[in-house]
Amino acid sequence: MQLAVRAEKSAPPAHSAVCEAAAMAVVRLLTDPRSTGGEWYDSVHRWESGRIRKVTRRARGARWHAVQELPGVTVDHAGAQARAFVPGPVTEVPPELAKLQVAGLDLGDDDASSDPETAPDRPYAAIALNPDVTMTTGKAAAQCGHAAQLLLLQMDSVEVGAWTAAGLMVHLVRDVPWRDCVERAAVAVQDAGFTEVPPGSMTAVSWIVPA
């Protein structure tokens, strides 16, 4: 699955907002009627049956607008914009996406995005990133996408319905010790080690915060 993050030079988004927007874009695409039984179903099902690899790319200006024409779901959240695209073979990336840079998306946080009071209304998915694993924003966004997806897959239909009704919101937890996050977690992401981190690294955990 390809992910694109809008990162304009004049007003770059915050790291945490990008991670949340990317995760929400992933689960909103996966729960979209076109994915669950429509025109995207075959592509999504084939991808979910194998490795759920994700690649984050950065876009700005005309290139960001160009990729909006490709099949996918865009999320505009807390000053960040991210789009998840219908998954496909890595050898068949559309030209509009292939032009976007993969490396180098590394952003800081602003005061607002670091405020624990910014959590959305419940229910929402809480995601925590491992502070002992160094990742760029692009890598972290992909890991958050994994965490949200794994959480979605292990939820029952009632939980999925409640989360969907609430907008499939995601909150990146930064005010809870990592050990506590691991204890709370319903799912954990073990990275395959293709980029940035050693294979098997636990990069993120996630759990649902109920209504």
Side-chain angles (χ1 to χ4, degrees), residues 116 171-177:
H171 178 58
L172 190 63
V173 175
R174 297 170 295 281
D175 57 326
V176 179

Side-chain angles (χ1 to χ4, degrees), residues 158-190:
V158 174
E159 292 172 320
V160 171
W163 189 23
T164 301
L168 293 166
M169 299 300 291
V170 169
H171 178 58
L172 190 63
V173 175
R174 297 170 295 281
D175 57 326
V176 179
W178 173 245
R179 180 178 297 179
D180 293 346
C181 292
V182 173
E183 290 178 354
R184 295 182 189 183
V187 298
V189 178
Q190 303 284 342

Side-chain angles (χ1 to χ4, degrees), residues 3-209:
L3 305 172
V5 172
R6 187 175 189 179
E8 302 290 348
K9 290 182 179 179
S10 59
H15 170 91
S16 296
V18 165
C19 289
E20 292 169 345
M24 285 189 281
V26 169
V27 290
R28 289 182 185 179
L29 184 148
L30 294 176
T31 56
D32 189 290
R34 290 167 291 184
S35 294
T36 57
E39 63 200 80
W40 299 346
Y41 175 80
D42 289 343
S43 295
V44 170
H45 178 70
R46 184 165 50 248
W47 173 68
E48 286 190 316
S49 299
R51 290 179 173 175
I52 55 167
R53 189 180 179 190
K54 298 179 180 69
V55 177
T56 307
R57 300 172 182 269
R58 63 176 180 174
R60 58 174 61 104
R63 289 189 173 179
W64 168 256
H65 295 293
V67 297
Q68 301 306 301
E69 302 302 316
L70 299 174
V73 172
T74 295
V75 168
D76 191 335
H77 166 73
Q81 291 178 284
R83 184 170 180 84
F85 299 89
V86 175
V90 294
T91 56
E92 299 177 15
V93 177
E96 296 91 341
L97 277 173
K99 293 176 183 177
L100 304 183
Q101 187 170 337
V102 176
L105 179 61
D106 203 10
L107 304 165
D109 267 329
D110 55 28
D111 291 339
S113 64
S114 300
D115 185 353
E117 298 302 320
T118 58
D121 292 338
R122 301 181 179 195
Y124 63 85
I127 297 177
L129 293 166
N130 190 341
D132 297 323
V133 176
T134 300
M135 294 180 283
T136 63
T137 301
K139 181 70 172 180
Q143 301 309 296
C144 288
H146 291 331
Q149 179 178 358
L150 293 175
L151 186 64
L152 176 69
L153 292 174
Q154 67 89 50
M155 295 168 70
D156 63 37
S157 59
V158 174
E159 292 172 320
V160 171
W163 189 23
T164 301
L168 293 166
M169 299 300 291
V170 169
H171 178 58
L172 190 63
V173 175
R174 297 170 295 281
D175 57 326
V176 179
W178 173 245
R179 180 178 297 179
D180 293 346
C181 292
V182 173
E183 290 178 354
R184 295 182 189 183
V187 298
V189 178
Q190 303 284 342
D191 192 70
F194 289 115
T195 60
E196 294 192 26
V197 303
S201 300
M202 183 189 292
T203 54
V205 296
S206 184
W207 64 95
I208 199 74
V209 179

